Amino acid sequence: MTPSKPSAASEFFRGIRTGLPVLSGCLPLGFILGVEAGRKGMTPLSIWMMTSINYAGGSEFAAVALWSAAPPMLVVWLTTWLINSRHIVMGASLSLYARHLPAKTNAFIYFLMCDEVWAIGSADIKRRSEAGVPARELLSLPFYVAVGLMFWSCWALSAAAGAWLGSDLGDLSHWGVQMAFPATFLSLLAMMWPGVRKCHPIVISAVAAAVTSLVLPPHWCVLLATLCGLAWVWFTTPEKAQAQAETEAEREAEREADAALIAELEKNNGTKDQNQEAAR
């Protein structure tokens, strides 16, 4: 007997349960961002709007650090673009599982995408693939939307709370909350660890970021580390593996076409039987 497909509501709440542990490490970061923004003269409303629209934590920290009475907008734009450039690669990997969805749905998916949401969504896609879920259903939209909405709303609210309450709390560095930043990304790395045989792009990117951080600003390190990881994959991926992936995609498309044909034939047979019954 074929197992029943989970309902949208159950997938939505599964996304909330899955994302809560990681969210607990992100809330202190949002609060710290709000505190720093408040010290730069930004109001809780302005930092809430910035974090709601430019939904990318690293670039927001950079923008706040560069903020002044007369902010150098060109520098702010360039810096945030360089830091956010990693989203191009993240979006490209996610598009493989969302390309069949409407354009508006895709736009919403990519708006909600941040490092944590992408990592949780990608890990869930891998888990569903190993469970034999069809290719077109690997991205569970209710699951992804639940994770995305939870992170997006809580991130903006925690930043606004930091701007509102930060002036009364003093220097937060004494609390050690900065450790939440590396701890969150280490947990994401552990969640998505592909094994020793496939970890080379991660190691190459990490080494590139560490080395370039000695001589370049952080936003350049992000871009160069991303490019180094992509270059490693490009030059080391065997053609055989690429051909195998293309073959699997073709087989999946053939299976979906066969399933659609069978469904159409069953529908036609049902209609024919109904006509015969009516004729009798």
Side-chain angles (χ1 to χ4, degrees), residues 187-209:
S187 65
L188 296 179
L189 178 61
M191 182 190 303
M192 300 190 64
W193 184 251
V196 177
R197 295 180 60 184
K198 298 180 179 180
C199 71
H200 302 96
I202 298 176
V203 175
I204 293 297
S205 296
V207 171

Side-chain angles (χ1 to χ4, degrees), residues 53-173:
I53 298 172
N54 178 54
Y55 178 45
S59 64
E60 290 163 354
F61 274 100
V64 168
L66 294 169
W67 201 260
S68 62
M73 296 309 300
L74 184 60
V75 176
V76 172
W77 291 338
L78 178 61
T79 302
T80 55
W81 185 88
L82 288 172
I83 295 176
N84 289 342
S85 61
R86 69 191 188 281
H87 286 73
I88 300 174
V89 181
M90 292 159 54
S93 66
L94 197 60
S95 68
L96 299 175
Y97 310 99
R99 62 179 60 177
H100 63 283
L101 298 173
K104 291 182 179 180
T105 304
N106 270 274
F108 188 55
I109 287 174
Y110 298 133
F111 173 77
L112 294 176
M113 186 185 71
C114 66
D115 298 285
E116 293 81 5
V117 175
W118 174 82
I120 294 173
S122 298
D124 188 63
I125 288 172
K126 180 181 179 182
R127 183 193 65 80
R128 290 167 65 84
S129 177
E130 293 172 350
V133 176
R136 288 176 63 89
E137 300 176 7
L138 289 178
L139 176 61
S140 174
L141 189 59
F143 174 91
Y144 182 91
V145 169
V147 177
L149 286 177
M150 180 172 63
F151 273 82
W152 173 73
S153 57
C154 291
W155 176 257
L157 289 174
S158 64
W164 181 36
L165 302 172
S167 59
D168 299 328
L169 299 177
D171 187 5
L172 295 180
S173 62

Side-chain angles (χ1 to χ4, degrees), residues 210-221:
V211 172
T212 54
S213 67
L214 300 176
V215 293
L216 293 174
H219 48 275
W220 284 107
C221 301

Side-chain angles (χ1 to χ4, degrees), residues 15-73:
I16 293 178
R17 293 193 303 270
T18 304
L20 274 176
V22 181
L23 179 66
S24 63
C26 295
L27 292 181
L29 300 179
F31 193 85
I32 294 172
L33 174 63
V35 171
E36 295 298 321
R39 291 175 179 173
K40 292 285 186 175
M42 299 180 70
T43 65
L45 177 60
S46 62
I47 188 63
W48 177 83
M49 292 182 64
M50 186 184 82
T51 52
S52 297
I53 298 172
N54 178 54
Y55 178 45
S59 64
E60 290 163 354
F61 274 100
V64 168
L66 294 169
W67 201 260
S68 62
M73 296 309 300

